[in-house]
Amino acid sequence: MNNRLRELRTARGWTQADLADQLDVSRQTVNALETGRYDPSLPLAFKLARLFGQRIEDIFQDDPQP
Amino acid sequence: MNNRLRELRTARGWTQADLADQLDVSRQTVNALETGRYDPSLPLAFKLARLFGQRIEDIFQDDPQP
DNA sequence: CCGCACTGTCAAGTGATCTTTACATCGCCG
DNA sequence: CGGCGATGTAAAGATCACTTGACAGTGCGG
């Protein structure tokens, strides 16, 4: 699952630690999401969507597996 | 996190097992989601949104925690 | 050159999200 | 009554989503 987290974060001039603070998660978690090591939980995806003012579907792109 | 899964499923005349088959998960997982025992992973939330033709935000309602 | 902020990653641990198997309850129909 | 489809739940186990703590690499300003 691809995402636009790095783009959205850097556009706001935030560090990974800045974003982590606002999400109440660790910096390592933000890094893991940006580098695609795993997907966020649904509650964390909601937090991200609220924070960036976008829909979950506009931040995360599901690869359609046939 | 509340959701409208039961409403959406029964409106289509599907059983929990029917839905589970379409999602490639177990019937117990569908039951656990409907009864609110845990939230789906983000990929599973995407599958549900696609299947029901709705946005994730319209199926799952985040409780705003102050 | 040195320090510092930022990023990437690892290891080990915890709790959440799944799995399979199993069983109990309910309502309905023959 | 007896069986059956649908639902709810439990236990045990795999894997994923997170944590803390640590360390290494990069780039920039003093």
Side-chain angles (χ1 to χ4, degrees):
Chain A
M1 173 155 325
N2 289 350
N3 68 65
R4 303 197 299 123
L5 292 181
R6 178 159 322 217
E7 167 194 347
L8 293 168
R9 173 180 63 84
T10 56
R12 284 159 179 76
W14 297 340
T15 67
Q16 292 182 347
D18 290 336
L19 178 53
D21 280 349
Q22 300 182 70
L23 296 169
D24 266 319
V25 297
S26 68
R27 176 185 73 81
Q28 286 84 341
T29 293
V30 169
N31 184 274
L33 298 178
E34 287 192 358
T35 57
R37 296 201 298 166
Y38 50 73
D39 296 321
S41 66
L42 188 57
L44 185 50
F46 266 90
K47 274 192 186 183
L48 283 158
R50 262 201 310 264
L51 191 54
F52 288 130
Q54 306 211 5
R55 293 180 300 164
I56 290 176
E57 285 88 346
D58 291 335
I59 300 180
F60 300 92
Q61 294 97 33
D62 211 10
D63 348 80
Q65 40 236 359
Chain B
M1 168 149 339
N2 289 350
N3 69 66
R4 302 196 301 123
L5 293 181
R6 177 159 319 214
E7 166 194 348
L8 293 167
R9 172 179 64 83
T10 57
R12 284 158 179 78
W14 296 340
T15 67
Q16 291 182 348
D18 289 337
L19 178 53
D21 279 349
Q22 300 182 69
L23 296 169
D24 265 320
V25 297
S26 68
R27 177 184 71 81
Q28 286 81 345
T29 293
V30 169
N31 184 275
L33 298 178
E34 287 192 358
T35 57
R37 296 202 295 171
Y38 50 74
D39 296 322
S41 66
L42 188 57
L44 184 50
F46 265 90
K47 275 192 184 181
L48 283 158
R50 262 201 311 264
L51 190 55
F52 288 129
Q54 305 210 5
R55 291 180 300 163
I56 290 177
E57 285 89 346
D58 291 336
I59 300 180
F60 300 92
Q61 295 97 32
D62 211 11
D63 347 83
Q65 39 237 0

